[in-house]
Amino acid sequence: MGLKMEDAINRIGRYLRSNNTHPRFVNVNNQENAAAIFQQFHVGENIFKSVPDFSVPDENLFEDVLFNYLTDAKGTVFLTGFTSYYKLHGEQKLRDFLNRMMNIPLIDTHLVVVCYQCEKLLSKPDTRYSQFIYLVDDKPESLPQLIFIAPNMPVQAEYDSVEGIQNIAGHIESNKTSVLYVHTYKHKSSYPFSLYTIKEQENSFEALCNLDLSTGQLKESYGTEAQWNKALDKVHTYGSWMQYISNVFGTYTNLEIAAGSWQSFDTYKQWLYFIALKLYGVKNSWCLSKAIANTEKSSMLIRGVFRSILTIESEDKNFWDFYSERKHLIQSFGNPDAEVADYCAMVKCKGKYTLYYLTDASKAERNLIFETLTLYADKFDRSEIIAALKNVYPALYFYLQPYQFNNKLLDSYFQEYKYQKVTNRVFPEFVKVVDEQAEKREFNLILPARSEKIDAIPKQGTLLYFMDAMGVEYLSYIMEICRRKHLMTYTTICHCELPSITSLNKEFVEAFVEGGATLVPDKNGIKALDNIKHHGEDEFDFRNNKLPTYLSRELEIIGETLDKIATKLMSGDYARAVMVSDHGASRLCVINKKENKWEMASKGEHSGRCCPISDIDEQPPCSTEDNGFWVLANYDRFKGGRPANVEVHGGATLEEVVIPIIEITYSPGEIEVYLLDKNITFSRRKKDATIRAFSKAKLDSLSIRVSSLNNEYEGTSSDGHTFTVALPDLKKAGTYSVDVYYNNNPLKSGLKFTAKNSDFSERKLL
């Protein structure tokens, strides 16, 4: 029968006061009684020893050190925790320890071994030793389950934990716990006979699986040990993956919203976003759903986004919606160069349809757009390419849009020229037009010289942007950029002097200087376009790169210039900006690669586009004589001239000589437009219906659409304010509604006029 705790303490006390040095064994079954012994006897010179005193961190007990100590010890020694320690090694090891302690020879030492829940082994000893065993009659506590985890793994706050094997026993005998986490490098296999239930949790991922069952949807390979460690700590803090992810990203149900902040995420947060997508998906993002379904690593998420569109056929009715979502995402993710390069290699699997799967979001993709157009333009109708570019490369789309010169030759010529420049080819039928114009040179008849138009432009309060080598081919793009920035333009189309070189075409600069204009940046103007056309770079040089990829940079330069113009005009310090070009340039002349047969006394200059006049030479029929030069008006090159790197000027083709003067003003509000004619009379037979509209702001074009008439009608004006619009399709009398447009942009809608047919007017008999 067991002892009461107070009786056991009294027996220990009598033993310590006696001369008997045989070890005593006191068995307790719970932490309260173990603590009572410590409190009662941890006084004076009594020594308490535990397992860590004879171990090193995370190693088993050094038994020899223990027994050597006891052999040499003097006084009173209490051993605590040793029986709980030996339970790790099994019942036999525990029994061996007790037997050895029972027979240890002591001379000047009183030894008390505090045993914990060893009643089964101590209750039936050899009768010779029963007097040395004190069994306390108390209620036993359940032994905890041990969970071995790596030393660096966090443990949830509600669970007890110890550092290293050596501290297990002490914790068990002093703390009530059902589960004890042990940070150790040891494995369950090291203790095959353990009397404790041991589970092995090798990493934080397994801990997360226990903490939140939704972790089972994930794979351990999704993260590194460090990532799972941090996640375990956070998920434990917040209680679940759902709460943690909601706290970090603001939601777990609309994770696509957080994608816009990707670039501000650190590496861990990007990984966590990947995990969030794996756990909760994205109902409102086709692209992210596709990407996460095909991605096994967070580092591959962006690649999954890039490649997602490749699974959709370009004929799919929702293709452009999918395309737009993906483009937005790759921009949110920062368009990393490595992923762009990977995608550009992959997308070529689409063959001629590659164009549909590219964007203008990176230089590499823009270059591939030009490469694709070069390879496959002949496989598509032109309208298909233009329609695709509206989504794929808007800037190039606007560059290719028609600009209304109100001249059939110029309208057709420059539309064809731009398309050939973009698709990197020269059409034979277009060369015929060039050759015809080389002889006719109609630009002299249909266009004024630039110098004729400069005087009429106000100079005070004006910013002059001298755009070296900016031809009229860019006008449709310029008009679109100006529209978006609330800039109004008034464009005058002129021709430059021949040869089409800067030295003969910058007379306007002094006119602006003398008139008090501000020159940006100075008299030399903006040379960026001209520098590209002359010198390019290794990537643009025609000898190294036959593609017109430089056009992207040209559009950027013009766009950047218009940005600066908008900023200056919005400040209110200037009334207007004027972009003036000295000359244009020809790409088709470069890719045509034709040197003429004429051997001149002097070598060709400006890449062979012109040649100094010599009395001993005969003028070629394809050239014109101006300013001491013979200037070629077709796509030939005089012998001796070095072929151009990118584009060429100096000749007399339309793209070299037709240049714009663009007056730009800022118009933040509505443009005031009125109908000057509220009532008109027309003859159906003569088709002479006309109407006049007035714009307070100076415009270079204006068109109207009339209710019930399926057409758009261009107005003509001599001053940019009053426009006369012919309506040859008007056949019925009545009241009509008019919508007014500028460069396809609505200026005013719902204006009214009444038309009366003069063919049915009352005839007077008297």
Side-chain angles (χ1 to χ4, degrees), residues 58-176:
D58 202 29
E59 288 296 339
N60 293 322
L61 173 70
F62 295 149
E63 292 182 341
D64 290 345
V65 177
L66 168 64
F67 288 108
N68 288 337
Y69 168 79
L70 294 174
T71 300
D72 298 333
K74 305 295 181 182
T76 299
V77 177
F78 283 77
L79 296 183
T80 63
F82 287 88
T83 58
S84 293
Y85 165 77
Y86 274 103
K87 287 179 182 179
L88 267 175
H89 296 274
E91 183 175 319
Q92 187 58 51
K93 288 287 186 180
L94 174 58
R95 190 183 301 275
D96 292 344
F97 168 73
L98 292 172
N99 286 332
R100 187 171 181 182
M101 295 304 297
M102 191 72 72
N103 295 288
I104 189 171
L106 300 173
I107 300 175
D108 297 322
T109 304
H110 288 93
L111 175 64
V112 179
V113 180
V114 180
C115 304
Y116 191 79
Q117 297 190 10
C118 296
E119 190 170 352
K120 177 182 175 182
L121 298 179
L122 297 173
S123 60
K124 296 180 181 181
D126 188 303
T127 55
R128 292 174 299 170
Y129 302 117
S130 59
Q131 61 180 311
F132 307 129
I133 298 172
Y134 310 150
L135 302 177
V136 178
D137 186 13
D138 52 0
K139 184 179 179 180
E141 288 287 345
S142 298
L143 292 177
Q145 178 188 70
L146 304 182
I147 300 179
F148 286 5
I149 61 174
N152 60 345
M153 284 179 59
V155 176
Q156 302 164 48
E158 65 264 29
Y159 292 113
D160 288 358
S161 66
V162 294
E163 301 296 323
I165 292 295
Q166 79 282 1
N167 290 317
I168 293 175
H171 193 89
I172 289 175
E173 295 186 11
S174 58
N175 296 274
K176 293 181 179 181

Side-chain angles (χ1 to χ4, degrees), residues 483-666:
R483 180 190 71 80
R484 295 184 179 191
K485 297 183 178 300
H486 302 287
L487 299 175
M488 298 300 299
T489 63
Y490 182 80
T491 303
T492 303
I493 307 301
C494 311
H495 71 76
C496 71
E497 300 299 321
L498 296 179
S500 52
I501 55 177
T502 301
S503 60
L504 295 176
N505 283 282
K506 57 181 182 180
E507 78 293 337
F508 61 88
V509 173
E510 288 304 322
F512 277 90
V513 171
E514 293 171 3
T518 300
L519 276 58
V520 183
D522 51 36
K523 288 184 177 182
N524 294 319
I526 296 173
K527 309 290 288 185
L529 289 176
D530 192 58
N531 287 339
I532 287 178
K533 295 175 189 296
H534 276 299
H535 312 297
E537 300 170 8
D538 288 342
E539 60 179 314
F540 295 153
D541 194 319
F542 190 72
R543 293 168 295 183
N544 303 318
N545 176 16
K546 299 295 191 291
L547 303 175
T549 54
Y550 68 94
L551 179 55
S552 288
R553 182 60 191 138
E554 289 186 325
L555 297 179
E556 287 176 349
I557 290 167
I558 293 172
E560 290 163 2
T561 303
L562 291 171
D563 284 343
K564 295 173 183 176
I565 288 174
T567 300
K568 287 185 176 293
L569 292 182
M570 282 190 288
S571 71
D573 295 334
Y574 300 93
R576 71 192 59 77
V578 182
M579 299 176 82
V580 185
S581 177
D582 52 352
H583 55 76
S586 177
R587 171 65 171 183
L588 302 194
C589 183
V590 174
I591 64 177
N592 196 51
K593 297 187 291 187
K594 182 183 177 184
E595 187 174 69
N596 66 25
K597 64 181 181 180
W598 303 96
E599 189 76 45
M600 312 303 285
S602 299
K603 290 183 178 180
E605 297 183 6
H606 300 283
S607 298
R609 295 298 290 155
C610 56
C611 179
I613 293 174
S614 170
D615 292 338
I616 62 173
D617 292 325
E618 178 184 353
Q619 179 180 353
C622 53
S623 68
T624 182
E625 181 181 337
D626 261 295
N627 292 310
F629 284 86
W630 281 322
V631 182
L632 291 174
N634 62 0
Y635 284 160
D636 285 355
R637 187 178 74 248
F638 281 120
K639 291 183 177 180
R642 181 181 59 83
N645 292 350
V646 182
E647 291 194 359
V648 67
H649 63 85
T653 59
L654 292 181
E655 60 266 35
E656 292 171 282
V657 300
V658 181
I659 44 96
I661 301 173
I662 309 171
E663 300 174 57
I664 304 173
T665 56
Y666 178 57

Side-chain angles (χ1 to χ4, degrees), residues 676 692-695 697 699 702 715-724:
L676 295 178
R692 292 178 302 151
F694 176 82
S695 170
L699 305 176
L702 182 145
T716 59
S717 175
S718 59
D719 61 3
H721 295 287
T722 299
F723 290 83
T724 300

